[in-house]
Amino acid sequence: MKKYHLLVAVFFFSLTISAQSAHSFLLNLYGGYTFSDRVDFDSSYAKVEDGFEYGLGLEYFIMDNASIELKYNRLDTKMPLYTKGPLNNGAIPPGTQVNAGDDKGAINYILADYTYYFGSSSQKALPFLGAGLGVAILETPKSGSGTYFGWEIKGGVKIKTDSPISINLHAYLQSMSAAVGYDYYWDYYWGPVAVTDYASTFQFGLGASLSYDFSK
């Protein structure tokens, strides 16, 4: 009988632990290194150079192994623009930077992420996979700022401690897509048809986040 009462007590205690874990609310501080990418246009190409990315997020666990997060990350970088072919009758050779000295910019990501953690909430190390959708705000020195579609995928491991502090080590791929003009095609019935041309960045990065769990 005593064993039965003990099992019941352990069962209800485990339910309490799970409930607290399922409704955890975390503040995440992000830092990472994002690698460069090349973006091609019709007559030129640009580089989004590598740099340090930082930000913060608010994460809420909707169940023991899954969370949703609203996050903001910023990448301060340079965006040199180069010619693809000769211009001005060959006076400007291919590969000439046309915005030298005026190529500083930034990409701001505002994303809603979903993350799934593999394993039990009692584990100290939890592998995870996640993805996010939102907007990317591009800051350029000459064209001002613009808001475009942005997304990311990520994977890594969450390292928990006995305190409210935990550490996430992760790799990520971020992308921003922007309309950059039109391509024209000839249609038999409609004649010339304009189709919006898009350019996208794809930047891989390695990072870490420091998390504080307000439920502990």
Side-chain angles (χ1 to χ4, degrees):
M1 191 69 176
K2 289 183 178 180
K3 290 183 178 179
Y4 173 77
H5 287 301
L6 179 60
L7 288 174
V8 172
V10 170
F11 173 74
F12 280 105
F13 179 74
S14 64
L15 285 181
T16 304
I17 293 297
S18 296
Q20 290 174 350
S21 177
H23 299 288
S24 298
F25 184 71
L26 283 69
L27 172 66
N28 300 324
L29 301 178
Y30 287 94
Y33 193 81
T34 303
F35 297 92
S36 63
D37 184 39
R38 169 172 164 158
V39 184
D40 283 292
F41 306 105
D42 290 336
S43 59
S44 61
Y45 67 91
K47 286 191 66 178
V48 182
E49 296 189 349
D50 50 353
F52 180 71
E53 186 169 325
Y54 56 93
L56 57 85
L58 296 174
E59 183 178 16
Y60 178 75
F61 278 77
I62 55 178
M63 60 181 72
D64 282 354
N65 293 81
S67 71
I68 55 176
E69 181 182 10
L70 180 63
K71 63 190 291 186
Y72 165 78
N73 277 359
R74 178 182 174 91
L75 171 65
D76 291 299
T77 183
K78 289 186 176 181
M79 302 175 185
L81 182 67
Y82 301 95
T83 59
K84 275 186 176 178
L87 299 177
N88 293 345
N89 296 322
I92 302 177
T96 301
Q97 184 178 349
V98 298
N99 62 343
D102 193 19
D103 56 3
K104 290 184 179 180
I107 304 176
N108 303 274
Y109 288 99
I110 303 175
L111 303 172
D113 275 15
Y114 174 84
T115 305
Y116 187 84
Y117 296 85
F118 299 90
S120 168
S121 60
S122 61
Q123 292 178 209
K124 292 296 185 182
L126 293 172
F128 65 84
L129 291 173
L133 298 174
V135 297
I137 303 173
L138 175 64
E139 299 178 13
T140 59
K142 287 188 176 181
S143 303
S145 63
T147 302
Y148 307 102
F149 174 69
W151 59 265
E152 76 167 4
I153 55 175
K154 62 183 179 179
V157 60
K158 182 181 187 68
I159 303 172
K160 300 168 64 176
T161 68
D162 295 329
S163 72
I165 303 296
S166 61
I167 299 173
N168 286 12
L169 304 176
H170 57 274
Y172 54 90
L173 176 66
Q174 293 177 332
S175 177
M176 173 190 65
S177 297
V180 294
Y182 296 93
D183 286 330
Y184 292 90
Y185 300 93
W186 180 266
D187 183 88
Y188 180 78
Y189 294 101
W190 302 101
V193 177
V195 179
T196 304
D197 192 14
Y198 289 89
S200 299
T201 61
F202 297 95
Q203 290 185 273
F204 175 78
L206 298 172
S209 66
L210 188 66
S211 302
Y212 183 86
D213 188 346
F214 290 99
S215 64
K216 289 188 176 181

